[in-house]
Amino acid sequence: MTLKHKAAITGVGELKPARGPEGKTALGVLAEVSRLAMLDAGLTPRDIDGLLVGPPMAETGQMWPSILAEYLQLRPDYANVVDLGGASACGMVWRAAAAIDAGLCRTVLCVSGDVFDVESFYQPRGGRPARLPWREFESPFGPMGVNSGYALIAMRHMYEYGTTARQLAKVAADQRTNANANPDALFGDRPLTVDDVLNSPLVCDPLHLYEIVLPCTGGAAFVVTAPEQARESPQPPVWLLGAGEHASHMLIAQAPSLTTSPIAVSAAKAFEMAGVGPKDVDLVSVYDCYTVTVVVTLEDAGFCPKGRGGPFVEEHDLTYKGDLPLNTHGGQLSFGQPGLAGGASHVTEAVRQLQGRAGDRQVRNCEMAFVNGNGGIMSEEVSLVLGRQS
Amino acid sequence: MTAPREAPAAREEYGKPLPQPTDVSQPFWEGARAGELRIQRCRDCRQHVFYPRSMCPLCLSERLEWVTASGRGKVYSYTVIRRAMHPGFQADLPYVLAIVELEEGPRLTTNIMAAEPEDVSIDMAVEAVFEDVTPEVTLVKFRPSEAK
Ligand SMILES: [Zn+2]
């Protein structure tokens, strides 16, 4: 089965991330970005017959598709929650395309967003018991959320391959240069050098504070539609050329490997479907909850050999002006992580770049992008190849 | 291998997340209480299994037996936690969170009880210690092996 050219993204809507809740509700954010995406695609709620929603973390809720459909008066023939953590948005792209290709629906609204309130975010969720393996076999030892999981990955990567703290810091610094050209980025107004990263406090070794993503309030939505509809869209359609997914674990101690992620499988599938390789892409837009995530992703997706990710990011200019533009919106490290919409930001940025709507940070002649969504602790991966040409 | 036991804190004083053993995992927690690291082994494919499961994830056999592991292993990776996300760990900072690979094969999350975090390194040999954290619960942690 192929999903190549079976659907296209025709509109995006995204909020500028904010540090606090700003009086918003999770439902309010989802509705706001849905409206922006529909307007961008030149559509009304009557045109939407599919709905995929990423469940917000800030507020408990079940049946999010029904909640949002009611609010927006959508009448979808296909509706689902997609809960793949940070891979949810990329997962929505191919799930929408597959549903469209199967004839279940024609135009799918894909939405995620969250409200960040520092007062409640770190509170244990009370009430019902969570008798899950991580609660029983990990929490008693004091992990620092997922931070410590990625620290374990980084430490092992340094041990096996000699990756240095300076190489990891380069990812954050280059992405900040990108953010400085993005008025919507949370940290777009201030510079960040490699030394700034290395001089920031160690949070869990070897990760420094500025190598760790900041949760925030925001949201993102996009419209995936069938080829006939896409060709009539007011914006240039961005075509799905390839997709691949692979998952392996939830607890980091259960990961088959700390240094090779499921991206080795998901990216190979995506490139094979698209009939292209890493050398063919003009933009890399990949999940960056931590600096090390980017290094492992570049290796597993085949941009460089396994273990060479450190030297690779040092040798290449990852800015929008560089030889390998990567996370041109700033990445989540500089743009912010509005819940599951953080993963969506890699999709929306790729769409804007491929449509030529990326403003000051526009990559010249951007024809094809590699996008990766990463859930958990490199647990669940979805890789996409998106392109301008049909 | 058993660490000298300090009087454990009462459950309400302990202040850190505690496991809620299940019917499936109960033998593991009883073993820890008795100073043994008990893991499962599949009677059909002979693979060791951890964490405790109701079936072998390799061959789907339900014929899992409990065996006592040697308690020896090596550090597969570790990190030094310098900020506590759960307030219960504030007084322990900095502390070492690690993945230990047991001699028998499975990996588990644990703490390395070293004098200084700097004493810990990847692939270093470690051995299990059993810490009674409450009158009911004993956690399996590790320390650098004495035998080199
Ligand atoms: Zn078996």
Side-chain angles (χ1 to χ4, degrees), chain A residues 10-145:
Chain A
T10 54
V12 296
E14 193 163 30
L15 297 185
K16 181 180 166 72
R19 295 293 286 259
E22 309 226 317
K24 293 182 192 293
T25 64
L27 175 58
V29 167
L30 296 181
E32 203 175 338
V33 294
S34 295
R35 173 181 174 272
L36 293 173
M38 285 187 278
L39 290 174
D40 194 44
L43 301 174
T44 72
R46 257 63 61 197
D47 301 309
I48 303 296
D49 59 2
L51 178 62
L52 295 175
V53 186
M57 290 177 279
E59 293 165 28
T60 50
Q62 281 180 293
M63 297 183 66
W64 276 106
S66 301
I67 294 169
L68 187 61
E70 174 189 274
Y71 195 97
L72 295 169
Q73 296 287 289
L74 306 174
R75 302 284 186 262
D77 301 323
Y78 168 75
N80 232 322
V81 161
V82 178
D83 185 7
L84 308 175
S88 298
C90 287
M92 289 175 191
V93 173
W94 81 252
R95 281 165 174 75
I100 291 165
D101 188 44
L104 303 176
C105 53
R106 288 187 306 181
T107 303
V108 183
L109 178 65
C110 303
V111 198
S112 50
D114 226 320
V115 172
F116 179 73
D117 185 349
V118 74
E119 295 299 314
S120 63
F121 187 78
Y122 295 108
Q123 297 302 315
R125 298 198 174 195
R128 289 173 284 183
R131 299 215 292 176
L132 293 170
W134 62 268
R135 281 282 279 268
E136 189 173 359
F137 295 103
E138 194 177 273
S139 299
F141 302 100
M144 195 194 168

Side-chain angles (χ1 to χ4, degrees), chain A residues 122 124 129-131 133 135-149 151-157 159-160 201-206 209 251-259, chain B residues 14 16-23 25-26 28-29 50-53 75-86 89 95-99 107-111 118 122-123 139-141:
Chain A
Y122 295 108
R131 299 215 292 176
R135 281 282 279 268
E136 189 173 359
F137 295 103
E138 194 177 273
S139 299
F141 302 100
M144 195 194 168
V146 294
N147 292 350
S148 47
L152 291 163
I153 289 175
M155 199 69 105
R156 183 79 197 181
H157 201 279
Y159 175 76
E160 286 185 23
L202 276 169
V203 172
C204 37
D205 303 11
L209 184 63
L251 275 74
I252 190 61
Q254 296 278 318
S257 163
L258 285 194
T259 50
Chain B
Y14 178 57
K16 294 175 188 171
L18 284 166
Q20 290 179 282
T22 63
D23 287 356
S25 66
Q26 193 62 38
F28 168 82
W29 294 108
F50 189 86
Y51 47 82
R53 288 166 165 89
V75 174
Y76 182 64
S77 192
Y78 74 99
T79 177
V80 184
I81 309 276
R82 298 182 186 275
R83 292 188 187 191
M85 194 163 273
H86 188 291
F89 292 93
Y95 59 91
V96 176
L97 181 85
I99 299 174
R107 294 185 194 138
L108 45 76
T109 303
T110 187
N111 298 125
E118 290 71 27
I122 291 182
D123 275 349
L139 296 181
V140 181
K141 301 187 176 181

